Amino acid sequence: MPDHRLTTFDLRLSTKKYYLCPNKRMDIKEAIDKARLPQHVAIIMDGNGRWAKEQGKLRVFGHQNGVTAVRDTVEGAVEIGIKYLTLYAFSTENWNRPRLEVSALMELLVNTINKETKTLMDNGVKLRAIGNLPQLPTKCYNRLHEAMEKTANNTNCTLTLALSYSARWEITEAARQLAQAVQSGRVRPEDIDETLFAQHLATKDIPDPELMIRTSGEQRISNYLLWQLAYAELYFTDKLWPAFRRQDFFEAIMAYQKRERRFGLTSEQLVKPQKKPFNKN
Ligand code: FPP
């Protein structure tokens, strides 16, 4: 069993990060306490353009290499037992990027789904998507649905791609659905509470993320899962997304495990297990 009071040292003995606990050196993956994993990790994959620029290449080269980071992170997540992983792959705002970049990203999405469905099957990963999906090009929409159907019975991990997604869009949609339900008499205004509201979000069938990772040094939430991240721990790394690998993911998990999650309570109250203030995961 890993020691929770680990002191982190980057011993720089090799490319692997090692953690020190009394008289013992361990790989970061072994150092993770598997009993205290976040169920759901959400990621903002940022820095593709800057990474490409550093290589003297076009932005699309960064997106292409971002796929390797996606594969490695998904495999790493499955390896340690993360049940839900949600990736911000294309925001509502991204439609305003240069036309060529948008079409390259859509093509990359189709090609990636084609190539990586086998990886998802091999790792027992179920693919799903949230966002204004009918806005996607037809080919992209169809391929996505085929891959979701094919992987529907996988149970190791649920990988959700946020595509043509923005949290304000999602919250507005939920409000619209509830307004319609009230108008038609199916719901009374006094019945609307946090639980009912959350049941109208795109993420209604998955728990809220306990950890949100953003790469590239930016420290913003950028219209991502605004409702669901209410209690999440936020982890920011300077790594640019195409350079991100499972070791970086494991480091984020270690950082999460060192934090104290209080849900509005005091440290002293946390000594005894407490009922959480809301119906949170
Ligand atoms: C942000 O970097 C990244 C995106 C807008 C696209 C994310 C897409 C991928 C990682 C590749 C495809 C993913 C899947 C799931 C198939 P940026 O372009 O904003 O970088 P910058 O901030 O350096 O300009």
Side-chain angles (χ1 to χ4, degrees):
M1 277 294 286
D3 185 333
H4 301 155
R5 298 154 303 152
L6 293 179
T7 321
T8 55
F9 282 85
D10 176 2
L11 292 179
R12 299 191 189 284
L13 295 175
S14 73
T15 52
K16 273 188 174 174
K17 283 256 163 84
Y18 288 96
Y19 282 70
L20 270 192
C21 63
N23 309 321
K24 199 170 165 204
R25 195 185 78 181
M26 52 165 76
D27 186 335
I28 183 165
K29 193 177 103 186
E30 292 168 44
I32 291 171
D33 180 351
K34 306 298 183 302
R36 293 191 307 124
L37 287 173
Q39 266 199 98
H40 183 177
V41 182
I43 306 184
I44 300 181
M45 310 180 287
D46 197 10
N48 293 356
R50 278 163 283 168
W51 184 87
K53 200 172 174 188
E54 277 178 13
Q55 319 286 316
K57 299 275 173 55
L58 297 175
R59 297 178 56 80
V60 66
F61 186 70
H63 298 317
Q64 285 161 351
N65 281 274
V67 174
T68 310
V70 169
R71 188 188 310 118
D72 207 62
T73 302
V74 172
E75 286 177 350
V78 171
E79 213 170 274
I80 58 169
I82 300 292
K83 297 309 281 180
Y84 299 91
L85 184 67
T86 299
L87 305 178
Y88 208 176
F90 194 86
S91 70
T92 306
E93 293 77 15
N94 288 153
W95 289 115
N96 299 321
R97 290 197 172 192
R99 200 168 45 86
L100 273 179
E101 183 172 343
V102 171
S103 50
L105 271 167
M106 292 300 141
E107 200 179 314
L108 183 62
L109 187 64
V110 172
N111 292 342
T112 305
I113 293 170
N114 285 341
K115 272 209 248 154
E116 302 294 339
T117 304
K118 183 177 179 324
T119 315
L120 298 179
M121 293 305 291
D122 290 348
N123 286 280
V125 177
K126 171 171 158 177
L127 182 69
R128 59 194 295 283
I130 54 172
N132 195 350
L133 304 180
Q135 279 191 334
L136 297 172
T138 313
K139 192 173 170 190
C140 194
Y141 181 88
N142 290 342
R143 283 304 295 122
L144 189 62
H145 273 272
E146 283 161 28
M148 289 196 291
E149 270 170 38
K150 188 158 187 198
T151 60
N153 295 325
N154 290 341
T155 55
N156 285 348
C157 177
T158 298
L159 170 65
T160 303
L161 298 183
L163 286 165
S164 192
Y165 172 88
S166 89
R168 286 187 176 180
W169 163 83
E170 180 190 32
I171 291 170
T172 308
E173 281 302 306
R176 193 198 319 279
Q177 285 172 30
L178 277 168
Q180 283 165 350
V182 169
Q183 196 178 37
S184 66
R186 283 176 286 131
V187 170
R188 293 176 307 166
E190 57 270 32
D191 292 335
I192 300 175
D193 59 9
E194 291 188 14
T195 306
L196 187 64
F197 197 89
Q199 282 165 4
H200 289 79
L201 295 171
T203 51
K204 59 179 174 291
D205 44 2
I206 60 176
D208 288 345
E210 297 98 325
L211 172 64
M212 196 285 288
I213 302 172
R214 182 174 189 150
T215 58
S216 91
E218 306 292 350
Q219 303 196 356
R220 290 187 291 278
I221 300 195
S222 298
N223 216 347
Y224 188 42
L225 302 172
L226 293 181
W227 176 283
Q228 298 86 341
L229 293 178
Y231 289 95
E233 294 297 324
L234 307 181
Y235 177 86
F236 301 103
T237 169
D238 287 339
K239 268 275 164 88
L240 301 175
W241 179 254
F244 193 86
R245 291 292 177 271
R246 71 187 76 188
Q247 292 296 319
D248 302 300
F249 183 75
F250 297 157
E251 268 185 46
I253 303 289
M254 282 298 289
Y256 165 85
Q257 293 192 332
K258 291 202 191 89
R259 300 209 190 154
E260 182 185 68
R261 306 189 74 218
R262 292 200 295 273
F263 301 99
L265 304 177
T266 66
S267 293
E268 292 70 28
Q269 285 176 297
L270 289 179
V271 174
K272 281 194 213 133
Q274 293 280 335
K275 211 166 177 265
K276 290 175 192 168
F278 300 112
N279 187 21
K280 289 279 139 198
N281 49 73

